[in-house]
Amino acid sequence: MKSTKTISLTNKIFIALLLGMATGLILYPMRENAFVKTYLIGFLFHFLGNGFVRAIRMVVVPLVLCSLVVGAAGIEDITKLGRVGIKTLTFYLGTTAAAVTLALIGGNIINPGLGVRVSDIAVGSVKVAESKPFVDILLDMIPINPVEALATGNMLQIIVFAILLGVALSLLGEKAAGIKKLFEEGNNISLKLVEIIMLFAPLGVYGLISKTFATMGYSAILPLFKYFIGVVIILLVHCLVTYQGILVLIGKYNPIKFFKKFSPTMMVAFSTASSSACLPSSLKCMQEGFGVSKSISSFTIPLGNTINMDGTAVMQGVATIFIAQIYGIDLTMGNYITIILTATLASIGTAGVPGVGVIMLGMVLVQVGLPLEGIGLVMGIDRFVDMFRTTVNVTGDAVCTLVIAKSEGEILEGAEAQKFEKAKA
Ligand code: ASP
């Protein structure tokens, strides 16, 4: 019963996505009409879309805290935590560096900035991220006040606090069994909340997509068409070749099965353009859809959601080449290496909310001496690019989780998996 329900929810979200695009495209020419502007775009779509995003973000902090505490408390062997940590970080950093490299190679083949007239592009205003010394970035991960970290939703601080709390619970064993149980129950409640909120995903997705297409000047894509298509193609290659290659060769997982199970989260990513809004659905999908253990998924998913942004790194790579070409600046081999390093770091520092990746692009441009005004050139169509790159961002976390779970024997397989699928049905 349940599996048909899941499939129908996936289809409902997909239909909502298509209907949202159609509605937005129809309304775009009428966007200045008072009724359309005030009641449809400004009220109905805004309420449906943002209401859904707010509801889903409401569960992010309790879910990450509870699931990470439960996950870390469940790992009896501390060395395993270290091993999983190192594997996960290696995977995340490695795939991000591969993503930028792919973007630079693809960018040089597509040449997104050649033949583009700056006068045809609607230039946006430029905001740039301030870059911090590396030591401060590391120190910032340690919360001096965990309550403040939870209240402000500082994900890296929450991750550090939750892991330590879980380790302490595990070391205390029976002496803290009550608190451990409390977090287990908190985790179950949070997952139930996600299930309830996801029932409204079709409405939320419809509202978000209608609003985006009705308000954003998609005609602005035309002068930037090569840049837009270039990013999308490279994202597709990264998703279909790099990820699926890893999944098949290392994870021994069927890619079609992967997309079938993970597509609801991918559609939420596409419509919200926010990784952090996808965290609850990603986590639920890994645990209840793929049968990955809590101790692995509750570590890899929140961490990946915060630091692993391959889609963002691809955009930063292509955008850098685009801007260099527009300004007629030749990039050297040294520049390319700098771009790979800084885009990898910039994507780690990118928050999982819409539009931050393009602001972090400033860090890359500064490092290679390109004009910051270049950001304004790509800003106009960034929302559309963001929808695609966010989808890749969350897909990378899921692929990593499956591969690590497989290597640790923490995913249900064979007869166990069949029993699990049957129990769900
Ligand atoms: N919107 C992206 C995300 O949430 C971040 C970005 O702007 O690149 O993953």
Side-chain angles (χ1 to χ4, degrees):
M1 225 14 233
K2 187 122 180 263
S3 76
T4 30
K5 240 202 226 154
T6 317
I7 293 169
S8 83
L9 178 66
T10 310
N11 286 343
K12 274 191 217 159
I13 300 177
F14 186 61
I15 294 167
L17 198 90
L18 296 181
L19 282 179
M21 280 184 193
T23 312
L25 290 175
I26 293 169
L27 292 180
Y28 179 63
M30 298 176 247
R31 66 192 178 284
E32 290 306 329
N33 172 289
F35 177 78
V36 171
K37 194 173 174 180
T38 317
Y39 296 106
L40 291 183
I41 303 175
F43 183 80
L44 185 66
F45 302 154
H46 184 69
F47 178 76
L48 289 177
N50 288 44
F52 172 65
V53 173
R54 287 180 71 100
I56 204 105
R57 292 194 68 180
M58 169 177 77
V59 268
V60 168
V61 169
L63 180 63
V64 170
L65 176 72
C66 294
S67 80
L68 209 47
V69 170
V70 173
I75 300 185
E76 265 115 44
D77 169 9
I78 302 289
T79 51
K80 181 174 169 194
L81 193 62
R83 192 178 61 233
V84 170
I86 290 172
K87 276 199 231 174
T88 309
L89 283 177
T90 310
F91 185 104
Y92 284 154
L93 291 179
T95 48
T96 308
V100 200
T101 311
L102 197 66
L104 294 180
I105 297 171
N108 272 299
I109 298 172
I110 297 166
N111 290 320
L114 290 193
V116 176
R117 282 193 316 211
V118 179
S119 54
D120 290 341
I121 303 174
V123 182
S125 61
V126 182
K127 278 189 262 158
V128 182
E130 41 168 302
S131 58
K132 275 191 194 165
F134 188 58
V135 63
D136 285 347
I137 297 177
L138 288 179
L139 280 175
D140 269 354
M141 290 169 62
I142 306 169
I144 37 175
N145 180 350
V147 178
E148 187 194 347
L150 292 168
T152 54
N154 184 325
M155 218 38 84
L156 284 178
Q157 292 192 351
I158 296 175
I159 291 172
V160 170
F161 174 65
I163 292 177
L164 288 175
L165 192 59
V167 169
L169 289 182
S170 155
L171 293 174
L172 281 169
E174 270 313 299
K175 278 193 212 153
I179 298 287
K180 190 173 159 195
K181 183 109 183 65
L182 184 80
F183 278 106
E184 274 164 12
E185 289 177 358
N187 189 36
N188 292 340
I189 297 169
S190 308
L191 286 171
K192 197 41 140 194
L193 275 173
V194 178
E195 205 173 302
I196 298 170
I197 297 164
M198 282 302 284
L199 292 176
F200 296 92
L203 282 178
V205 164
Y206 176 75
L208 286 164
I209 296 283
S210 302
K211 188 177 164 200
T212 305
F213 278 79
T215 47
M216 304 289 293
Y218 43 85
S219 50
I221 289 185
L222 283 182
L224 292 164
F225 194 67
K226 264 167 95 186
Y227 162 72
F228 176 72
I229 288 295
V231 178
V232 173
I233 291 175
I234 297 163
L235 288 174
L236 270 176
V237 172
H238 192 58
C239 200
L240 298 177
V241 181
T242 319
Y243 287 160
Q244 301 319 312
I246 293 174
L247 209 52
V248 173
L249 298 176
I250 309 178
K252 310 267 180 286
Y253 206 91
N254 179 340
I256 309 222
K257 227 164 104 187
F258 171 80
F259 281 121
K260 245 182 160 169
K261 290 189 180 179
F262 199 62
S263 54
T265 305
M266 292 172 81
M267 287 188 274
V268 173
F270 186 76
S271 46
T272 59
S274 165
S275 297
S276 102
C278 299
L279 209 164
S281 125
S282 264
L283 204 51
K284 190 170 166 60
C285 200
M286 284 295 121
Q287 294 175 0
E288 297 182 3
F290 291 89
V292 174
S293 75
K294 284 199 180 82
S295 60
I296 297 291
S297 56
S298 57
F299 173 68
T300 53
I301 291 290
L303 186 69
N305 198 275
T306 319
I307 68 163
N308 184 44
M309 306 244 171
D310 293 1
T312 301
V314 164
M315 175 279 288
Q316 288 170 345
V318 182
T320 309
I321 293 195
F322 171 74
I323 292 165
Q325 289 180 341
I326 292 254
Y327 287 99
I329 298 168
D330 282 330
L331 296 171
T332 62
M333 202 56 201
N335 288 150
Y336 284 122
I337 293 170
T338 311
I339 297 171
I340 295 173
L341 292 177
T342 22
T344 304
L345 290 178
S347 69
I348 293 175
T350 303
V353 285
V356 182
V358 79
I359 295 172
M360 298 300 281
L361 173 63
M363 265 175 72
V364 185
L365 297 183
V366 167
Q367 288 303 319
V368 281
L370 288 172
L372 281 175
E373 300 79 69
I375 297 179
L377 299 176
V378 290
M379 216 131 200
I381 60 156
D382 192 60
R383 176 66 188 210
F384 292 109
V385 178
D386 205 357
M387 291 159 58
F388 289 92
R389 69 175 182 256
T390 306
T391 310
V392 172
N393 287 346
V394 296
T395 306
D397 308 338
V399 170
C400 170
T401 303
L402 286 179
V403 169
I404 305 245
K406 173 93 184 183
S407 74
E408 292 288 324
E410 298 258 2
I411 177 167
L412 298 178
E413 282 181 295
E416 265 185 321
Q418 276 170 10
K419 229 168 87 191
F420 178 70
E421 294 290 340
K422 263 206 193 124
K424 278 199 294 176

